[in-house]
Amino acid sequence: MCWNCSSCDAECPVEIATNRLRPQRIVRFANIGLFEELIASPEIWYCLTCRRCNRVCPNLVKPETLICYARSAAVRCGVVSYHAARAYYDLFRRFQRVRWHAVHHCLHDADEPISDARWYSWLDTPIPDAMDGISSQRLFNSNEPFRQAAKGADLSRCFTCGECSSACPVAGERSVFDPRFIFRMAHFGLAEELLMSPSIWLCVQCGRCTEACPQRVDGCGMIASLRELAVREGRVEEGFVRRVRDAQKQVYTRLLDEIDELLGLNVGFGNQASCPLTLAECA
Ligand code: SF4
Ligand code: SF4
Ligand code: SF4
């Protein structure tokens, strides 16, 4: 069904940050049967599985579903070892720490490039838990725009089932980013803590939490509102959003380089060693 409109490429946060992940190309390779090349490509491991490409496709093609299938086939066929795949998921979890630290850095007006030393130190530095030390007197102290945003997202309906956190491609360590946690904090009116938190800038606005919520809480919309409020109320400095965008480009590019090194796959379709299995055997 793909007609090469590139809507998925334009929507992909990794492609936007790095120009190195094109879901459209992955779909075309699968479409014309270059399956062995596809499962040996590092590109399938660059994906965040955010499903923004699935949502935007006018023909209901699902590039993310294909990517997940290609990854499991790569492991099944031995193109990527099980241990390498586990190391990859561990890297991805720790990468969210890097993103958190990068935003924290930008919040304090720092503009310098992210060095190797800083990258590795951030990968290994856990984030302190934001809920430590919040007294009950701080609850329900938010202003009217904040309350309206929470009401608009129907946060009071949340029964903390955690489906949003399970669906979220960014959630890993709670202190770094956990949608359920953020939505509960917002429901309790913890405006100060949320509007100054780097976590709200880690969301990739994919909408998976909203889709997954059985209570129809609009989590994706709530996080967008928190960001808007942070800017509108001057909680972040002028230039902060640009700095975050630039920092994200740096850290995503760095992540892809780490993935290349970790998995040892040749960069670029068509350069890879062939999988010994045929498509029929693999399927
Ligand atoms: S799932 Fe997200 S990161 Fe992956 S290809 Fe699609 S838009 Fe890009
Ligand atoms: S999925 Fe909905 S109801 Fe469940 S924890 Fe998340 S916001 Fe609350
Ligand atoms: S929109 Fe929801 S699921 Fe997507 S990254 Fe943000 S919190 Fe996670």
Side-chain angles (χ1 to χ4, degrees):
M1 297 294 288
C2 172
W3 60 21
N4 298 333
C5 67
S6 284
S7 300
C8 50
D9 290 352
E11 188 71 7
C12 174
V14 181
E15 171 66 4
I16 292 167
T18 65
N19 289 326
R20 284 167 63 181
L21 169 57
R22 294 189 53 213
Q24 181 211 350
R25 184 165 55 181
I26 290 173
V27 169
R28 289 306 288 165
F29 263 72
N31 236 351
I32 59 179
L34 292 171
F35 186 73
E36 291 169 7
E37 286 78 2
L38 184 58
I39 64 171
S41 161
E43 207 164 330
I44 58 175
W45 299 94
Y46 297 164
C47 168
L48 311 177
T49 68
C50 70
R51 297 189 188 164
R52 281 173 58 156
C53 49
N54 291 10
R55 284 175 66 202
V56 79
C57 177
N59 285 345
L60 307 182
V61 176
K62 296 185 171 57
E64 183 265 356
T65 310
L66 168 64
I67 288 168
C68 290
Y69 175 78
R71 281 184 186 178
S72 62
V75 175
R76 214 166 47 236
C77 295
V79 176
V80 169
S81 72
Y82 177 71
H83 292 294
R86 287 199 59 172
Y88 163 83
Y89 288 111
D90 182 58
L91 170 67
F92 194 80
R93 174 183 61 80
R94 292 185 301 134
F95 169 63
Q96 302 308 330
R97 291 179 187 170
V98 174
R99 293 183 67 220
W100 189 98
H101 284 292
V103 177
H104 187 260
H105 195 58
C106 295
L107 274 172
H108 296 89
D109 199 22
D111 222 351
E112 68 263 36
I114 295 162
S115 63
D116 277 6
R118 188 164 267 156
W119 163 269
Y120 287 114
S121 136
W122 285 352
L123 263 184
D124 291 332
T125 310
I127 312 302
D129 199 323
M131 280 309 275
D132 280 353
I134 296 179
S135 82
S136 56
Q137 284 152 351
R138 296 187 69 88
L139 302 181
F140 303 109
N141 277 333
S142 53
N143 61 16
E144 186 55 25
F146 190 96
R147 281 197 291 276
Q148 282 304 323
K151 196 170 166 201
D154 276 330
L155 289 188
S156 60
R157 294 209 244 181
C158 171
F159 53 41
T160 67
C161 64
E163 290 292 331
C164 48
S165 299
S166 302
C168 176
V170 176
E173 295 170 0
R174 193 184 76 175
S175 55
V176 177
F177 186 78
D178 182 340
R180 171 174 51 177
F181 198 53
I182 290 174
F183 304 153
R184 288 308 281 169
M185 286 177 75
H187 175 63
F188 287 129
L190 292 166
E192 289 301 316
E193 288 76 5
L194 279 172
L195 298 182
M196 293 302 293
S197 165
S199 297
I200 62 172
W201 300 92
L202 303 191
C203 167
V204 293
Q205 289 288 286
C206 65
R208 287 188 61 176
C209 51
T210 302
E211 267 170 30
C213 179
Q215 290 296 97
R216 298 195 188 139
V217 171
D218 180 11
C220 181
M222 184 66 218
I223 293 181
S225 301
L226 289 172
R227 290 180 181 180
E228 273 173 38
L229 284 170
V231 173
R232 206 177 330 136
E233 295 184 2
R235 309 301 180 103
V236 293
E237 290 180 44
E238 206 184 324
F240 167 78
V241 175
R242 178 199 55 77
R243 286 201 300 276
V244 168
R245 201 169 38 235
D246 292 348
Q248 294 300 327
K249 281 186 184 169
Q250 289 181 58
V251 296
Y252 273 117
T253 303
R254 189 62 206 247
L255 172 73
L256 304 199
D257 292 344
E258 288 282 330
I259 292 172
D260 289 345
E261 203 171 305
L262 176 71
L263 301 182
L265 300 170
N266 288 333
V267 177
F269 282 133
N271 299 332
Q272 301 85 359
S274 290
C275 172
L277 300 185
T278 64
L279 174 55
E281 283 168 337
C282 182

